[in-house]
mmCIF file of all heavy atoms in Angstrom:
data_model
loop_
_atom_site.group_PDB
_atom_site.id
_atom_site.type_symbol
_atom_site.label_atom_id
_atom_site.label_comp_id
_atom_site.label_asym_id
_atom_site.label_seq_id
_atom_site.Cartn_x
_atom_site.Cartn_y
_atom_site.Cartn_z
ATOM 1 N N ASN A 363 14.864 -5.961 -29.993
ATOM 2 C CA ASN A 363 14.059 -5.019 -30.748
ATOM 3 C C ASN A 363 12.798 -4.730 -29.949
ATOM 4 O O ASN A 363 11.734 -5.240 -30.242
ATOM 5 C CB ASN A 363 13.680 -5.681 -32.108
ATOM 6 C CG ASN A 363 12.907 -4.719 -33.002
ATOM 7 O OD1 ASN A 363 12.988 -3.510 -32.801
ATOM 8 N ND2 ASN A 363 12.166 -5.285 -33.928
ATOM 9 N N TYR A 364 12.932 -3.850 -28.984
ATOM 10 C CA TYR A 364 11.858 -3.577 -28.036
ATOM 11 C C TYR A 364 11.809 -2.094 -27.735
ATOM 12 O O TYR A 364 12.887 -1.523 -27.332
ATOM 13 C CB TYR A 364 11.964 -4.361 -26.775
ATOM 14 C CG TYR A 364 10.982 -4.135 -25.742
ATOM 15 C CD1 TYR A 364 9.696 -4.619 -25.789
ATOM 16 C CD2 TYR A 364 11.248 -3.329 -24.648
ATOM 17 C CE1 TYR A 364 8.752 -4.450 -24.798
ATOM 18 C CE2 TYR A 364 10.292 -3.027 -23.623
ATOM 19 C CZ TYR A 364 9.060 -3.568 -23.749
ATOM 20 O OH TYR A 364 8.083 -3.329 -22.817
ATOM 21 N N ILE A 365 10.737 -1.472 -27.845
ATOM 22 C CA ILE A 365 10.553 -0.048 -27.471
ATOM 23 C C ILE A 365 9.431 0.043 -26.592
ATOM 24 O O ILE A 365 8.348 -0.451 -26.716
ATOM 25 C CB ILE A 365 10.297 0.902 -28.690
ATOM 26 C CG1 ILE A 365 11.479 0.920 -29.621
ATOM 27 C CG2 ILE A 365 9.904 2.235 -28.270
ATOM 28 C CD1 ILE A 365 11.278 1.687 -30.871
ATOM 29 N N TYR A 366 9.675 0.753 -25.452
ATOM 30 C CA TYR A 366 8.585 0.971 -24.382
ATOM 31 C C TYR A 366 8.278 2.411 -24.342
ATOM 32 O O TYR A 366 9.192 3.280 -24.272
ATOM 33 C CB TYR A 366 9.159 0.542 -23.002
ATOM 34 C CG TYR A 366 8.178 0.801 -21.860
ATOM 35 C CD1 TYR A 366 7.120 -0.084 -21.581
ATOM 36 C CD2 TYR A 366 8.295 1.932 -21.168
ATOM 37 C CE1 TYR A 366 6.213 0.198 -20.594
ATOM 38 C CE2 TYR A 366 7.383 2.205 -20.063
ATOM 39 C CZ TYR A 366 6.334 1.356 -19.814
ATOM 40 O OH TYR A 366 5.468 1.595 -18.871
ATOM 41 N N VAL A 367 6.983 2.776 -24.306
ATOM 42 C CA VAL A 367 6.498 4.145 -24.239
ATOM 43 C C VAL A 367 5.775 4.324 -22.971
ATOM 44 O O VAL A 367 4.880 3.425 -22.587
ATOM 45 C CB VAL A 367 5.595 4.505 -25.488
ATOM 46 C CG1 VAL A 367 5.110 5.882 -25.379
ATOM 47 C CG2 VAL A 367 6.391 4.326 -26.786
ATOM 48 N N GLY A 368 5.971 5.435 -22.264
ATOM 49 C CA GLY A 368 5.215 5.647 -21.058
ATOM 50 C C GLY A 368 5.136 7.211 -20.760
ATOM 51 O O GLY A 368 5.653 8.032 -21.521
ATOM 52 N N MET A 369 4.519 7.470 -19.632
ATOM 53 C CA MET A 369 4.417 8.928 -19.165
ATOM 54 C C MET A 369 4.382 8.914 -17.632
ATOM 55 O O MET A 369 3.895 8.028 -17.035
ATOM 56 C CB MET A 369 3.162 9.540 -19.716
ATOM 57 C CG MET A 369 1.855 8.972 -19.236
ATOM 58 S SD MET A 369 0.452 9.963 -19.637
ATOM 59 C CE MET A 369 0.038 10.499 -17.974
ATOM 60 N N ASN A 370 5.017 9.912 -17.072
ATOM 61 C CA ASN A 370 4.950 10.095 -15.658
ATOM 62 C C ASN A 370 5.534 11.409 -15.276
ATOM 63 O O ASN A 370 5.899 12.248 -16.070
ATOM 64 C CB ASN A 370 5.753 8.914 -14.941
ATOM 65 C CG ASN A 370 7.255 8.860 -15.292
ATOM 66 O OD1 ASN A 370 7.922 9.856 -15.222
ATOM 67 N ND2 ASN A 370 7.694 7.724 -15.737
ATOM 68 N N LEU A 371 5.549 11.626 -13.925
ATOM 69 C CA LEU A 371 6.017 12.901 -13.407
ATOM 70 C C LEU A 371 7.526 12.912 -13.000
ATOM 71 O O LEU A 371 8.148 13.895 -12.676
ATOM 72 C CB LEU A 371 5.217 13.336 -12.171
ATOM 73 C CG LEU A 371 3.780 13.656 -12.452
ATOM 74 C CD1 LEU A 371 2.976 13.803 -11.163
ATOM 75 C CD2 LEU A 371 3.623 14.909 -13.261
ATOM 76 N N ASP A 372 8.110 11.665 -12.993
ATOM 77 C CA ASP A 372 9.562 11.505 -12.484
ATOM 78 C C ASP A 372 10.283 10.640 -13.432
ATOM 79 O O ASP A 372 10.508 9.478 -13.245
ATOM 80 C CB ASP A 372 9.483 10.872 -11.085
ATOM 81 C CG ASP A 372 10.845 10.649 -10.543
ATOM 82 O OD1 ASP A 372 11.852 11.269 -11.076
ATOM 83 O OD2 ASP A 372 10.987 9.872 -9.595
ATOM 84 N N LEU A 373 10.732 11.232 -14.586
ATOM 85 C CA LEU A 373 11.388 10.483 -15.591
ATOM 86 C C LEU A 373 12.655 9.774 -15.085
ATOM 87 O O LEU A 373 12.834 8.566 -15.350
ATOM 88 C CB LEU A 373 11.686 11.322 -16.777
ATOM 89 C CG LEU A 373 12.467 10.699 -17.942
ATOM 90 C CD1 LEU A 373 11.716 9.603 -18.526
ATOM 91 C CD2 LEU A 373 12.883 11.740 -18.945
ATOM 92 N N LEU A 374 13.546 10.451 -14.437
ATOM 93 C CA LEU A 374 14.794 9.856 -13.943
ATOM 94 C C LEU A 374 14.555 8.725 -13.002
ATOM 95 O O LEU A 374 15.175 7.682 -13.057
ATOM 96 C CB LEU A 374 15.704 10.928 -13.367
ATOM 97 C CG LEU A 374 16.204 12.019 -14.326
ATOM 98 C CD1 LEU A 374 17.056 13.018 -13.634
ATOM 99 C CD2 LEU A 374 16.954 11.377 -15.529
ATOM 100 N N GLY A 375 13.568 8.852 -12.088
ATOM 101 C CA GLY A 375 13.220 7.820 -11.194
ATOM 102 C C GLY A 375 12.710 6.583 -11.883
ATOM 103 O O GLY A 375 13.071 5.479 -11.602
ATOM 104 N N TYR A 376 11.827 6.797 -12.909
ATOM 105 C CA TYR A 376 11.358 5.670 -13.651
ATOM 106 C C TYR A 376 12.350 4.977 -14.538
ATOM 107 O O TYR A 376 12.434 3.743 -14.634
ATOM 108 C CB TYR A 376 10.141 6.124 -14.511
ATOM 109 C CG TYR A 376 8.823 5.633 -13.878
ATOM 110 C CD1 TYR A 376 8.248 6.325 -12.767
ATOM 111 C CD2 TYR A 376 8.137 4.516 -14.305
ATOM 112 C CE1 TYR A 376 7.140 5.944 -12.215
ATOM 113 C CE2 TYR A 376 6.983 4.137 -13.680
ATOM 114 C CZ TYR A 376 6.451 4.803 -12.657
ATOM 115 O OH TYR A 376 5.317 4.396 -12.060
ATOM 116 N N LEU A 377 13.259 5.745 -15.081
ATOM 117 C CA LEU A 377 14.367 5.095 -15.896
ATOM 118 C C LEU A 377 15.164 4.223 -14.990
ATOM 119 O O LEU A 377 15.576 3.087 -15.336
ATOM 120 C CB LEU A 377 15.278 6.263 -16.462
ATOM 121 C CG LEU A 377 16.301 5.747 -17.377
ATOM 122 C CD1 LEU A 377 15.799 4.955 -18.600
ATOM 123 C CD2 LEU A 377 17.120 6.949 -17.943
ATOM 124 N N LYS A 378 15.504 4.634 -13.762
ATOM 125 C CA LYS A 378 16.211 3.794 -12.833
ATOM 126 C C LYS A 378 15.439 2.565 -12.412
ATOM 127 O O LYS A 378 15.923 1.514 -12.413
ATOM 128 C CB LYS A 378 16.547 4.679 -11.558
ATOM 129 C CG LYS A 378 17.380 3.869 -10.576
ATOM 130 C CD LYS A 378 17.963 4.664 -9.483
ATOM 131 C CE LYS A 378 18.729 4.009 -8.400
ATOM 132 N NZ LYS A 378 19.249 2.654 -8.636
ATOM 133 N N ARG A 379 14.097 2.757 -12.151
ATOM 134 C CA ARG A 379 13.263 1.597 -11.837
ATOM 135 C C ARG A 379 13.266 0.568 -13.006
ATOM 136 O O ARG A 379 13.366 -0.663 -12.733
ATOM 137 C CB ARG A 379 11.808 2.047 -11.569
ATOM 138 C CG ARG A 379 11.690 2.717 -10.252
ATOM 139 C CD ARG A 379 10.161 3.171 -10.069
ATOM 140 N NE ARG A 379 9.303 1.987 -10.041
ATOM 141 C CZ ARG A 379 8.980 1.267 -9.063
ATOM 142 N NH1 ARG A 379 9.470 1.568 -7.850
ATOM 143 N NH2 ARG A 379 8.169 0.246 -9.128
ATOM 144 N N HIS A 380 13.143 1.006 -14.171
ATOM 145 C CA HIS A 380 13.130 0.127 -15.365
ATOM 146 C C HIS A 380 14.474 -0.636 -15.447
ATOM 147 O O HIS A 380 14.504 -1.853 -15.609
ATOM 148 C CB HIS A 380 12.907 0.843 -16.663
ATOM 149 C CG HIS A 380 11.434 1.232 -16.818
ATOM 150 N ND1 HIS A 380 10.491 0.315 -17.169
ATOM 151 C CD2 HIS A 380 10.855 2.465 -16.760
ATOM 152 C CE1 HIS A 380 9.293 0.959 -17.282
ATOM 153 N NE2 HIS A 380 9.536 2.304 -17.057
ATOM 154 N N ASN A 381 15.583 0.085 -15.247
ATOM 155 C CA ASN A 381 16.881 -0.582 -15.429
ATOM 156 C C ASN A 381 17.256 -1.482 -14.197
ATOM 157 O O ASN A 381 18.034 -2.363 -14.297
ATOM 158 C CB ASN A 381 18.044 0.393 -15.694
ATOM 159 C CG ASN A 381 18.133 0.698 -17.116
ATOM 160 O OD1 ASN A 381 18.135 -0.255 -17.955
ATOM 161 N ND2 ASN A 381 18.279 1.956 -17.511
ATOM 162 N N ASP A 382 16.653 -1.164 -13.072
ATOM 163 C CA ASP A 382 16.863 -2.017 -11.892
ATOM 164 C C ASP A 382 16.011 -3.232 -11.902
ATOM 165 O O ASP A 382 16.104 -4.097 -11.018
ATOM 166 C CB ASP A 382 16.543 -1.175 -10.534
ATOM 167 C CG ASP A 382 17.614 -0.188 -10.255
ATOM 168 O OD1 ASP A 382 18.646 -0.186 -10.846
ATOM 169 O OD2 ASP A 382 17.253 0.672 -9.408
ATOM 170 N N GLY A 383 15.118 -3.402 -12.879
ATOM 171 C CA GLY A 383 14.267 -4.574 -12.988
ATOM 172 C C GLY A 383 13.008 -4.525 -12.072
ATOM 173 O O GLY A 383 12.381 -5.477 -11.839
ATOM 174 N N ARG A 384 12.647 -3.349 -11.631
ATOM 175 C CA ARG A 384 11.467 -3.220 -10.693
ATOM 176 C C ARG A 384 10.204 -2.929 -11.447
ATOM 177 O O ARG A 384 9.112 -2.878 -10.857
ATOM 178 C CB ARG A 384 11.712 -2.081 -9.696
ATOM 179 C CG ARG A 384 12.906 -2.452 -8.841
ATOM 180 C CD ARG A 384 13.099 -1.536 -7.668
ATOM 181 N NE ARG A 384 12.718 -0.183 -7.958
ATOM 182 C CZ ARG A 384 13.184 0.934 -7.306
ATOM 183 N NH1 ARG A 384 14.078 0.811 -6.436
ATOM 184 N NH2 ARG A 384 12.786 2.168 -7.614
ATOM 185 N N GLU A 385 10.285 -2.879 -12.840
ATOM 186 C CA GLU A 385 9.111 -2.732 -13.645
ATOM 187 C C GLU A 385 8.911 -3.995 -14.528
ATOM 188 O O GLU A 385 9.791 -4.337 -15.272
ATOM 189 C CB GLU A 385 9.130 -1.470 -14.529
ATOM 190 C CG GLU A 385 9.198 -0.171 -13.774
ATOM 191 C CD GLU A 385 7.940 0.099 -12.989
ATOM 192 O OE1 GLU A 385 6.873 -0.278 -13.417
ATOM 193 O OE2 GLU A 385 8.071 0.663 -11.883
ATOM 194 N N LYS A 386 7.823 -4.691 -14.275
ATOM 195 C CA LYS A 386 7.536 -5.995 -14.977
ATOM 196 C C LYS A 386 7.591 -5.908 -16.472
ATOM 197 O O LYS A 386 8.103 -6.776 -17.171
ATOM 198 C CB LYS A 386 6.141 -6.472 -14.493
ATOM 199 C CG LYS A 386 5.878 -7.838 -15.006
ATOM 200 C CD LYS A 386 4.444 -8.265 -14.418
ATOM 201 C CE LYS A 386 4.104 -9.648 -14.935
ATOM 202 N NZ LYS A 386 2.771 -9.997 -14.396
ATOM 203 N N THR A 387 7.129 -4.785 -17.039
ATOM 204 C CA THR A 387 7.044 -4.668 -18.546
ATOM 205 C C THR A 387 8.371 -4.655 -19.179
ATOM 206 O O THR A 387 8.445 -5.059 -20.288
ATOM 207 C CB THR A 387 6.203 -3.429 -18.885
ATOM 208 O OG1 THR A 387 6.842 -2.319 -18.283
ATOM 209 C CG2 THR A 387 4.814 -3.517 -18.523
ATOM 210 N N THR A 388 9.421 -4.148 -18.542
ATOM 211 C CA THR A 388 10.687 -3.998 -19.181
ATOM 212 C C THR A 388 11.745 -4.909 -18.635
ATOM 213 O O THR A 388 12.789 -4.970 -19.126
ATOM 214 C CB THR A 388 11.124 -2.519 -19.135
ATOM 215 O OG1 THR A 388 11.193 -2.079 -17.812
ATOM 216 C CG2 THR A 388 10.329 -1.632 -20.014
ATOM 217 N N ARG A 389 11.459 -5.570 -17.504
ATOM 218 C CA ARG A 389 12.432 -6.430 -16.856
ATOM 219 C C ARG A 389 13.184 -7.359 -17.791
ATOM 220 O O ARG A 389 14.427 -7.447 -17.800
ATOM 221 C CB ARG A 389 11.779 -7.274 -15.772
ATOM 222 C CG ARG A 389 12.758 -7.958 -14.821
ATOM 223 C CD ARG A 389 12.062 -8.740 -13.701
ATOM 224 N NE ARG A 389 11.286 -7.728 -12.949
ATOM 225 C CZ ARG A 389 10.030 -8.089 -12.498
ATOM 226 N NH1 ARG A 389 9.527 -9.231 -12.795
ATOM 227 N NH2 ARG A 389 9.352 -7.212 -11.834
ATOM 228 N N PRO A 390 12.495 -8.154 -18.659
ATOM 229 C CA PRO A 390 13.201 -9.073 -19.531
ATOM 230 C C PRO A 390 13.993 -8.421 -20.693
ATOM 231 O O PRO A 390 14.766 -9.053 -21.396
ATOM 232 C CB PRO A 390 12.136 -10.056 -20.125
ATOM 233 C CG PRO A 390 10.850 -9.262 -19.954
ATOM 234 C CD PRO A 390 11.003 -8.309 -18.804
ATOM 235 N N ASN A 391 13.813 -7.096 -20.843
ATOM 236 C CA ASN A 391 14.504 -6.395 -21.969
ATOM 237 C C ASN A 391 15.613 -5.492 -21.502
ATOM 238 O O ASN A 391 16.055 -4.681 -22.337
ATOM 239 C CB ASN A 391 13.463 -5.621 -22.734
ATOM 240 C CG ASN A 391 12.337 -6.551 -23.261
ATOM 241 O OD1 ASN A 391 12.663 -7.461 -24.010
ATOM 242 N ND2 ASN A 391 11.132 -6.307 -22.840
ATOM 243 N N ARG A 392 16.041 -5.627 -20.289
ATOM 244 C CA ARG A 392 17.126 -4.791 -19.777
ATOM 245 C C ARG A 392 18.488 -5.145 -20.414
ATOM 246 O O ARG A 392 18.658 -6.243 -20.784
ATOM 247 C CB ARG A 392 17.171 -4.886 -18.300
ATOM 248 C CG ARG A 392 16.105 -4.306 -17.561
ATOM 249 C CD ARG A 392 16.163 -4.537 -16.098
ATOM 250 N NE ARG A 392 16.275 -5.954 -15.798
ATOM 251 C CZ ARG A 392 16.825 -6.496 -14.699
ATOM 252 N NH1 ARG A 392 17.386 -5.730 -13.811
ATOM 253 N NH2 ARG A 392 16.752 -7.795 -14.488
ATOM 254 N N PRO A 393 19.438 -4.195 -20.479
ATOM 255 C CA PRO A 393 19.376 -2.771 -20.118
ATOM 256 C C PRO A 393 18.538 -1.959 -21.234
ATOM 257 O O PRO A 393 18.570 -2.320 -22.336
ATOM 258 C CB PRO A 393 20.746 -2.326 -19.994
ATOM 259 C CG PRO A 393 21.544 -3.173 -20.973
ATOM 260 C CD PRO A 393 20.745 -4.551 -20.939
ATOM 261 N N ILE A 394 17.964 -0.922 -20.695
ATOM 262 C CA ILE A 394 17.290 0.014 -21.617
ATOM 263 C C ILE A 394 17.829 1.362 -21.571
ATOM 264 O O ILE A 394 18.551 1.754 -20.659
ATOM 265 C CB ILE A 394 15.747 0.037 -21.279
ATOM 266 C CG1 ILE A 394 15.580 0.524 -19.827
ATOM 267 C CG2 ILE A 394 15.076 -1.262 -21.538
ATOM 268 C CD1 ILE A 394 14.143 0.820 -19.506
ATOM 269 N N GLU A 395 17.574 2.116 -22.636
ATOM 270 C CA GLU A 395 18.120 3.538 -22.722
ATOM 271 C C GLU A 395 16.986 4.430 -23.235
ATOM 272 O O GLU A 395 16.154 4.062 -24.011
ATOM 273 C CB GLU A 395 19.317 3.591 -23.648
ATOM 274 C CG GLU A 395 19.044 3.296 -25.086
ATOM 275 C CD GLU A 395 20.254 3.306 -25.922
ATOM 276 O OE1 GLU A 395 21.335 3.747 -25.482
ATOM 277 O OE2 GLU A 395 20.225 2.806 -27.021
ATOM 278 N N LEU A 396 17.012 5.674 -22.766
ATOM 279 C CA LEU A 396 16.071 6.669 -23.111
ATOM 280 C C LEU A 396 16.371 7.087 -24.524
ATOM 281 O O LEU A 396 17.524 7.440 -24.885
ATOM 282 C CB LEU A 396 16.137 7.848 -22.234
ATOM 283 C CG LEU A 396 15.136 8.946 -22.346
ATOM 284 C CD1 LEU A 396 13.723 8.389 -22.018
ATOM 285 C CD2 LEU A 396 15.468 10.101 -21.437
ATOM 286 N N ILE A 397 15.393 7.132 -25.446
ATOM 287 C CA ILE A 397 15.598 7.575 -26.809
ATOM 288 C C ILE A 397 14.783 8.825 -27.205
ATOM 289 O O ILE A 397 15.128 9.419 -28.195
ATOM 290 C CB ILE A 397 15.360 6.409 -27.836
ATOM 291 C CG1 ILE A 397 13.884 6.002 -27.745
ATOM 292 C CG2 ILE A 397 16.280 5.309 -27.709
ATOM 293 C CD1 ILE A 397 13.412 5.064 -28.877
ATOM 294 N N TYR A 398 13.822 9.083 -26.369
ATOM 295 C CA TYR A 398 12.902 10.297 -26.700
ATOM 296 C C TYR A 398 12.237 10.724 -25.397
ATOM 297 O O TYR A 398 11.899 9.898 -24.635
ATOM 298 C CB TYR A 398 11.877 9.830 -27.792
ATOM 299 C CG TYR A 398 11.002 10.983 -28.214
ATOM 300 C CD1 TYR A 398 11.342 11.927 -29.092
ATOM 301 C CD2 TYR A 398 9.713 11.182 -27.622
ATOM 302 C CE1 TYR A 398 10.521 12.946 -29.516
ATOM 303 C CE2 TYR A 398 8.901 12.135 -27.943
ATOM 304 C CZ TYR A 398 9.305 13.067 -28.867
ATOM 305 O OH TYR A 398 8.436 14.069 -29.283
ATOM 306 N N LYS A 399 12.019 12.061 -25.335
ATOM 307 C CA LYS A 399 11.187 12.592 -24.286
ATOM 308 C C LYS A 399 10.598 13.893 -24.685
ATOM 309 O O LYS A 399 11.097 14.585 -25.556
ATOM 310 C CB LYS A 399 12.000 12.770 -22.988
ATOM 311 C CG LYS A 399 13.072 13.834 -23.034
ATOM 312 C CD LYS A 399 13.776 14.046 -21.741
ATOM 313 C CE LYS A 399 14.807 15.116 -21.943
ATOM 314 N NZ LYS A 399 15.557 15.341 -20.709
ATOM 315 N N GLU A 400 9.393 14.272 -24.164
ATOM 316 C CA GLU A 400 8.831 15.461 -24.409
ATOM 317 C C GLU A 400 7.949 15.825 -23.225
ATOM 318 O O GLU A 400 7.495 14.927 -22.493
ATOM 319 C CB GLU A 400 8.011 15.578 -25.680
ATOM 320 C CG GLU A 400 6.779 14.708 -25.729
ATOM 321 C CD GLU A 400 5.967 14.846 -27.023
ATOM 322 O OE1 GLU A 400 6.650 14.870 -28.079
ATOM 323 O OE2 GLU A 400 4.757 14.903 -27.037
ATOM 324 N N PHE A 401 7.808 17.102 -22.902
ATOM 325 C CA PHE A 401 7.007 17.524 -21.733
ATOM 326 C C PHE A 401 5.699 17.961 -22.069
ATOM 327 O O PHE A 401 5.450 18.545 -23.151
ATOM 328 C CB PHE A 401 7.839 18.649 -20.992
ATOM 329 C CG PHE A 401 9.222 18.352 -20.675
ATOM 330 C CD1 PHE A 401 10.275 18.858 -21.436
ATOM 331 C CD2 PHE A 401 9.527 17.342 -19.662
ATOM 332 C CE1 PHE A 401 11.548 18.483 -21.143
ATOM 333 C CE2 PHE A 401 10.821 17.058 -19.407
ATOM 334 C CZ PHE A 401 11.832 17.553 -20.118
ATOM 335 N N GLN A 402 4.708 17.616 -21.263
ATOM 336 C CA GLN A 402 3.306 17.909 -21.494
ATOM 337 C C GLN A 402 2.545 18.390 -20.340
ATOM 338 O O GLN A 402 2.734 17.893 -19.213
ATOM 339 C CB GLN A 402 2.559 16.651 -22.089
ATOM 340 C CG GLN A 402 3.006 16.184 -23.356
ATOM 341 C CD GLN A 402 2.431 17.012 -24.530
ATOM 342 O OE1 GLN A 402 1.366 17.681 -24.402
ATOM 343 N NE2 GLN A 402 3.105 17.019 -25.589
ATOM 344 N N LEU A 403 1.708 19.338 -20.507
ATOM 345 C CA LEU A 403 0.678 19.772 -19.453
ATOM 346 C C LEU A 403 -0.602 19.877 -20.282
ATOM 347 O O LEU A 403 -0.582 20.447 -21.366
ATOM 348 C CB LEU A 403 1.042 21.147 -18.922
ATOM 349 C CG LEU A 403 2.176 21.170 -17.833
ATOM 350 C CD1 LEU A 403 2.510 22.615 -17.561
ATOM 351 C CD2 LEU A 403 1.840 20.425 -16.597
ATOM 352 N N PRO A 404 -1.720 19.479 -19.773
ATOM 353 C CA PRO A 404 -1.968 18.748 -18.531
ATOM 354 C C PRO A 404 -1.858 17.249 -18.840
ATOM 355 O O PRO A 404 -1.559 16.812 -19.911
ATOM 356 C CB PRO A 404 -3.392 19.143 -18.252
ATOM 357 C CG PRO A 404 -4.027 19.410 -19.626
ATOM 358 C CD PRO A 404 -2.861 20.035 -20.389
ATOM 359 N N ARG A 405 -2.320 16.478 -17.852
ATOM 360 C CA ARG A 405 -2.148 15.002 -17.920
ATOM 361 C C ARG A 405 -2.849 14.384 -19.135
ATOM 362 O O ARG A 405 -2.364 13.480 -19.780
ATOM 363 C CB ARG A 405 -2.733 14.356 -16.652
ATOM 364 C CG ARG A 405 -2.522 12.890 -16.569
ATOM 365 C CD ARG A 405 -3.237 12.226 -15.393
ATOM 366 N NE ARG A 405 -2.874 10.814 -15.239
ATOM 367 C CZ ARG A 405 -3.339 9.830 -16.033
ATOM 368 N NH1 ARG A 405 -4.186 10.081 -16.973
ATOM 369 N NH2 ARG A 405 -2.935 8.637 -15.812
ATOM 370 N N LYS A 406 -4.049 14.932 -19.493
ATOM 371 C CA LYS A 406 -4.799 14.378 -20.647
ATOM 372 C C LYS A 406 -4.069 14.549 -21.916
ATOM 373 O O LYS A 406 -4.074 13.682 -22.837
ATOM 374 C CB LYS A 406 -6.199 14.890 -20.704
ATOM 375 C CG LYS A 406 -6.330 16.261 -21.178
ATOM 376 C CD LYS A 406 -7.835 16.655 -21.389
ATOM 377 C CE LYS A 406 -7.845 17.931 -22.157
ATOM 378 N NZ LYS A 406 -8.732 18.083 -23.228
ATOM 379 N N ASP A 407 -3.324 15.620 -22.052
ATOM 380 C CA ASP A 407 -2.496 15.847 -23.270
ATOM 381 C C ASP A 407 -1.295 14.833 -23.311
ATOM 382 O O ASP A 407 -0.957 14.292 -24.276
ATOM 383 C CB ASP A 407 -1.925 17.298 -23.351
ATOM 384 C CG ASP A 407 -3.015 18.290 -23.584
ATOM 385 O OD1 ASP A 407 -4.139 17.904 -23.998
ATOM 386 O OD2 ASP A 407 -2.799 19.480 -23.204
ATOM 387 N N ALA A 408 -0.735 14.570 -22.129
ATOM 388 C CA ALA A 408 0.412 13.676 -21.992
ATOM 389 C C ALA A 408 -0.095 12.246 -22.418
ATOM 390 O O ALA A 408 0.526 11.487 -23.135
ATOM 391 C CB ALA A 408 0.969 13.677 -20.617
ATOM 392 N N ARG A 409 -1.287 11.859 -21.932
ATOM 393 C CA ARG A 409 -1.882 10.597 -22.199
ATOM 394 C C ARG A 409 -2.113 10.435 -23.697
ATOM 395 O O ARG A 409 -1.916 9.403 -24.317
ATOM 396 C CB ARG A 409 -3.165 10.330 -21.384
ATOM 397 C CG ARG A 409 -3.809 9.042 -21.579
ATOM 398 C CD ARG A 409 -2.944 7.952 -20.993
ATOM 399 N NE ARG A 409 -3.686 6.711 -21.129
ATOM 400 C CZ ARG A 409 -3.185 5.598 -21.727
ATOM 401 N NH1 ARG A 409 -1.940 5.562 -22.196
ATOM 402 N NH2 ARG A 409 -3.872 4.534 -21.838
#
């Protein structure tokens, strides 16, 4: 029962990093799947 929320410029790359265990925050909760995404400009709106 774990949901991770983030933002970046390379969604597919980060999804792979998370599932490969290269991100400390999600490593113990693998495998993970994308459940939601939305696109934002500029960065402050995304944040």
Side-chain angles (χ1 to χ4, degrees):
N363 184 21
Y364 176 79
I365 294 176
Y366 177 83
V367 177
M369 64 168 249
N370 63 50
L371 294 169
D372 179 19
L373 177 61
L374 295 178
Y376 257 77
L377 185 58
K378 182 169 177 17
R379 286 180 61 87
H380 284 288
N381 273 316
D382 288 347
R384 296 187 330 204
E385 295 297 325
K386 185 178 179 179
T387 54
T388 54
R389 188 178 306 135
N391 301 302
R392 292 178 297 154
I394 58 171
E395 64 184 349
L396 186 66
I397 59 168
Y398 181 82
K399 68 179 178 181
E400 70 180 39
F401 305 107
Q402 290 286 333
L403 284 172
R405 184 185 188 285
K406 74 175 193 136
D407 293 341
R409 182 69 177 125

